[in-house]
Amino acid sequence: MNKAFEFQGVQFKFDNSYARELNGFYTPCQAEAVPAPRWVKFNHELAEELGLDADALETQEGADIFSGNIVPPGAMPIAQAYAGHQFGNLSPQLGDGRALLLGEVIDRNGMRRDIQLKGSGRTPFSRRGDGKAAIGPMLREFLMGEAMYHLGIPTTRALAVVATGESVYRDTLLPGAVLTRVAASHIRIGTFEYFAVRNDVESLRRLADYTIKRHYPELIGRPYIEFLRAVSARQAELIARWMCVGFIHGVMNTDNVALSGETIDYGPCAFMEHFDPATVFSSIDDRGRYAFGKQPAIAQWNLARFAETMLPLLDEDSDRAVQLATEALKTFSEQFEKSWSAMVRRKLGLVRTEADDAALVQDFLNAMQAGHADYTLAWRYLADAAESNPARLRSVFRSDTTKLDDWLPRWLARLARENKPAMEIAADMRRVNPYVIPRNHLVEEALEAATINNDFAPFNQLLGVLSDPYTERDAVHLYAIQATPEQTEGYRTFCGT
Ligand code: AMP
Ligand code: MG
């Protein structure tokens, strides 16, 4: 039972456009009551950004709200319908099986943000699941989302993790928790697929119009093909950002692709250590479908599924619609190349353009791969090399440096043609090549201490370090250095659902 009547007065200014405008796209639903909500982690800074009274929320009342026990006034909890291609196969009905959208608020920057509970109990979309979440994966989502945010990558963020006081069964009994997630929206490619598989063109049109209004307002009244191109460009930009920092999402199913262009659904994601495009961490991705190097191609595959849903809106003539969609999809490669090359050139310290720059990038990647170089630190320590100190760069190559030896003089000669002081170039490079990322062994250590020993010091320290990833400082050296092969060997991540 929800204790709405006990509400003390924490104010949310909800404005629930999805519930209001998209009747038929969701089921109103209540969170399951939990026995003993208790604060685990609160994102004060994000609460302030949302215009919420953070102090009033970090109370028992707040824990009651963020566990789902209290529905704050103005909220309208709904479970959103969606479908999706999971590992290549269509599931016509997924939906919020363990999540509830409480509503939307307009943040301090005028942006509309969804506030969603994750792990709040069963909904009509739960299928065989229990609708619940364990505390470990929810803390992981909190941490990874914050890491991405501070790296400057569009992402959903966690506002709160509240322990429920009950156990959930995942092979073994684990403490349960509810995560509160803040997102530009939860509209996914899978949301479009839900109506496409039902041949419900009118709902598709309503959804497209709503999505355009919310995320691509400059395209209101324009042909839908422009919407398709814009969604594609935003995905290209997002994936390029992932590739720049070695982020591996792990479950790029179409239900985990947000139309807003934010990274969403932190399950088995992880950052790559030494550079190898074949890197996969997820225990359920045994074929490497979502390997690091495949992410651009998978994004394009996902966009093809999106384009298929849009066909009836593109043109009345279906041949013409297919032709338009195909042309739009082809531009993804160009869009990705454009985003990636702009970013990666900055990572290499290049501002001027030369014909051989793409080869220079590719050859650095080849050198890293041949030398088992740490992806993060190899990029980072290039700045030292630009200042004539290649020692640290060399030190993060574990083996063969012959390719690096060939490459360095070429790159230094190219940098000389930038006609800028080395110090200036290096400083610019350090602004785009992070010093710290969430290293897998440190993430696991922090989660273990928190969930097994109830010791949140390592988690909070790691979170603090990751809030400033581009500044090198002695105090965080141990967070920055690469893991030993023993620490990384056979590392696996799990969905935790
Ligand atoms: P995910 O793998 O988290 O992207 O979820 C895929 C689908 O499975 C979504 O429809 C989720 O709502 C659903 N799901 C995941 N975990 C659970 C759970 N514990 N109970 C019910 N549904 C779940
Ligand atoms: Mg999902």
Side-chain angles (χ1 to χ4, degrees), residues 82 86 118 181 188 251 255-256 264-265:
Y82 56 87
Q86 300 178 301
K118 185 166 170 183
R181 176 159 75 183
R188 309 143 189 272
V251 239
D255 52 304
N256 294 338
I264 191 170
D265 253 341

Side-chain angles (χ1 to χ4, degrees), residues 33-51:
V34 298
R38 182 179 56 78
W39 270 110
V40 172
K41 191 71 204 165
F42 184 51
N43 194 335
H44 231 266
E45 176 214 321
L46 178 58
E48 306 260 322
E49 188 179 309
L50 293 171

